[in-house]
Amino acid sequence: MKRIAKFILYTILGWKIENEFPKHPKKYIVIAAPHTSWVDFPIAILTRMSLGTMVHFVGKNSLFKWPFGYFFRALGGTPVDRTKNNNLVDAIIDIFNNKEEFRLGLSPEGTRKKVETWKTGFYYIAKGANVPIVMATLDFENKKVKISVPYYTTDDKEADFRHFKDFYKNIKGKNPELS
């Protein structure tokens, strides 16, 4: 599968990858931005497969119903019921605490629409599970996937978010007007 994914991503689609997902630590959150199109998902899956690193994801539960439910679960997905008032942050912290190895990919925007501020759940999951954050982006303008080194949060949330935003500065998503 890895060879096929590389062939599709590199040869057919013409993408390049800058850096790899870290092998250590074995647990971290991957935040991917900007998330502006459904096309982000297949490119991210091809990237993950090309690098041979499992990065799990959560998605709205409607994606996991028949006929696509099996497919999304096989890709490493877990459904989330966003209509209920549940504490998703604590639930994901528990997953991190109960696994030897776990990587979770999230979009800090929480949607493909243009947003003024990011959601903060990824940040509190990282702090609560004591795991770093790896930043990743799909730079459609240059057809390049960029992956950062692990970043451990500090006690200065504003400085941490400036660090995150700096990584994504000047990156154009598939639909740049939504970035």
Side-chain angles (χ1 to χ4, degrees), residues 36-177:
T36 65
S37 169
W38 67 269
V39 177
D40 298 348
F41 182 74
I43 300 293
I45 295 297
L46 286 168
T47 299
R48 181 191 80 180
M49 292 171 76
S50 295
L51 296 175
T53 303
M54 174 54 88
V55 178
H56 296 272
F57 63 94
V58 293
K60 57 185 172 183
N61 60 351
S62 61
L63 293 173
F64 291 85
K65 293 184 177 165
W66 191 87
F68 301 110
Y70 175 78
F71 174 72
F72 285 120
R73 281 183 180 84
L75 289 175
T78 300
V80 173
D81 185 354
R82 298 191 306 188
T83 62
K84 291 184 179 173
N85 188 11
N86 51 18
N87 195 332
L88 187 57
V89 169
D90 287 342
I92 294 174
I93 289 170
D94 286 343
I95 293 170
F96 271 102
N97 289 338
N98 291 311
K99 298 214 180 246
E100 290 289 319
E101 185 171 323
F102 188 68
R103 296 166 197 90
L104 178 65
L106 297 170
S107 165
E109 297 110 329
T111 182
R112 291 184 305 260
K113 297 174 185 147
K114 186 170 182 67
V115 298
E116 296 303 316
T117 58
W118 284 357
K119 297 200 177 273
T120 57
F122 76 91
Y123 185 77
Y124 292 108
I125 293 167
K127 288 192 91 54
N130 197 28
V131 298
I133 295 170
V134 172
M135 294 162 284
T137 189
L138 303 178
D139 180 354
F140 276 83
E141 183 176 50
N142 299 302
K143 283 196 162 185
K144 189 182 286 185
V145 177
K146 296 179 181 179
I147 302 169
S148 78
V149 298
Y151 177 82
Y152 289 86
T153 59
T154 68
D155 290 328
D156 186 343
K157 182 179 169 187
E158 287 181 21
D160 290 341
F161 272 77
R162 277 194 304 274
H163 177 79
F164 302 143
K165 295 286 188 164
D166 283 348
F167 181 82
Y168 296 103
K169 193 171 26 177
N170 301 321
I171 299 295
K172 293 197 171 43
K174 172 83 171 141
N175 297 308
E177 69 278 6

